[in-house]
Amino acid sequence: MPSATASSLGIGPIGPERSRSVDVGIEQGLAGGRGRLRLAYFTNEFLDLIEFVSKGVLPQLGVPAAAAAASGFGAYVNSQSNTSSGVELSGEAKVGRVRFLGSYTYLDALVTKSFGSGALSPAVNPAFPGIKIGQYSPLVGNRPFRQPANSGSFVASYSDRKAQVSVAGYFVGKRDDSTLLSDPFFGSSMLLPNHDMDAAYQKFDVSGSYQIHPRLRWYVTAENAFNATFEAAAGFPALPRAVRTGITVRIGGR
């Protein structure tokens, strides 16, 4: 609604989202500095997250009835909270001119409060009776959308005075999500259960460069090098293999 109308009804602007975080970790060098391991534990609390709340629910959040009625279909308010905790393990090692880096993250995330219409009135697809579905937002007690419980990466790189080559792999586990779809009758027959709706996937990128002149370096990068088919988010297929190449020119300096 217009700011003047909101002010006259005693409604203030959306406030900031808040968070509290604690991280604790240890790090250990190995093999005379040629390797390193890190282990960290983290816990986070995200408060006052912004979400859309229908006008019928706004009074539950202390919004005056007149203001709720004047909001149209509803309003964005600071009414959602999430928690997350987990561990991160990473390491690196160098063997001659070759360097290896790897990491793994376990994430336990949970929606603890939500006043979104999908959370208060879950949908049910007749094809999956008894399974509550959050159409536009995750249900309370479930994982936030598109946040995998398991993820990791691996990089191997080689470099010398003129050449550099690296291979990077990214590994993402199953994620909760929603199709966000309604059928032609505004029903829920096109919704799937949220839990683990997005499949796990792996993606590899390859890149390299070569210094052909003290001021010229040729580079080439192949993203999704093995042309994997996956969806990072439901309904949005990833791009196929993409190759970029070019030359960088250094001007000035020695």
Side-chain angles (χ1 to χ4, degrees), residues 81-104:
S81 298
N82 296 347
T83 61
S84 65
S85 60
V87 294
E88 296 178 334
L89 175 65
S90 64
E92 59 183 271
K94 188 173 182 181
V95 182
R97 297 182 182 274
V98 181
R99 188 181 183 191
F100 301 94
L101 299 96
S103 67
Y104 166 76

Side-chain angles (χ1 to χ4, degrees), residues 49 80-85 106-114 119 132-134 136-151 172-178 193-200:
L49 302 180
Q80 188 182 119
S81 298
N82 296 347
T83 61
S84 65
S85 60
Y106 171 75
L107 174 67
D108 182 16
L110 195 70
V111 177
T112 55
K113 185 175 71 173
S114 175
K132 297 179 179 180
I133 300 173
Y136 299 111
S137 59
L139 305 180
V140 174
N142 287 1
R143 296 200 308 259
F145 288 165
R146 294 179 287 279
Q147 293 193 17
N150 300 281
S151 61
V172 178
K174 296 178 180 180
R175 292 140 290 142
D176 286 10
D177 207 342
S178 172
N194 301 129
H195 183 63
D196 288 346
M197 199 188 83
D198 293 342

Side-chain angles (χ1 to χ4, degrees), residues 28-41:
Q28 177 64 53
L30 302 170
R34 293 189 296 273
R36 191 165 296 275
L37 285 176
R38 303 178 185 89
L39 177 65
Y41 168 81

Side-chain angles (χ1 to χ4, degrees), residues 11-205:
I11 303 300
I14 293 175
E17 298 181 329
R18 300 183 296 118
S19 66
R20 290 193 289 262
S21 302
V22 176
D23 293 85
V24 180
I26 57 174
E27 182 174 317
Q28 177 64 53
L30 302 170
R34 293 189 296 273
R36 191 165 296 275
L37 285 176
R38 303 178 185 89
L39 177 65
Y41 168 81
F42 61 87
T43 179
N44 307 305
E45 186 176 13
F46 302 97
L47 306 167
D48 296 334
L49 302 180
I50 297 171
E51 65 179 348
F52 185 83
V53 175
S54 64
K55 67 178 183 179
V57 179
L58 288 174
Q60 298 183 33
L61 301 173
V63 177
S71 67
F73 293 102
Y76 287 95
V77 295
N78 302 91
S79 59
Q80 188 182 119
S81 298
N82 296 347
T83 61
S84 65
S85 60
V87 294
E88 296 178 334
L89 175 65
S90 64
E92 59 183 271
K94 188 173 182 181
V95 182
R97 297 182 182 274
V98 181
R99 188 181 183 191
F100 301 94
L101 299 96
S103 67
Y104 166 76
T105 300
Y106 171 75
L107 174 67
D108 182 16
L110 195 70
V111 177
T112 55
K113 185 175 71 173
S114 175
F115 286 87
S117 59
L120 296 180
S121 302
V124 175
N125 185 335
F128 304 97
I131 299 178
K132 297 179 179 180
I133 300 173
Q135 182 172 8
Y136 299 111
S137 59
L139 305 180
V140 174
N142 287 1
R143 296 200 308 259
F145 288 165
R146 294 179 287 279
Q147 293 193 17
N150 300 281
S151 61
S153 64
F154 177 80
V155 178
S157 62
Y158 167 88
S159 63
D160 60 20
R161 190 172 60 88
K162 289 190 173 184
Q164 295 179 348
V165 180
S166 67
V167 178
Y170 305 93
F171 314 94
V172 178
K174 296 178 180 180
R175 292 140 290 142
D176 286 10
D177 207 342
S178 172
T179 62
L180 307 175
L181 298 176
S182 297
D183 60 32
F185 304 100
F186 304 101
S188 56
S189 63
M190 298 185 70
L191 292 176
L192 297 175
N194 301 129
H195 183 63
D196 288 346
M197 199 188 83
D198 293 342
Y201 70 88
Q202 304 83 40
K203 182 176 80 79
F204 293 88
D205 299 337

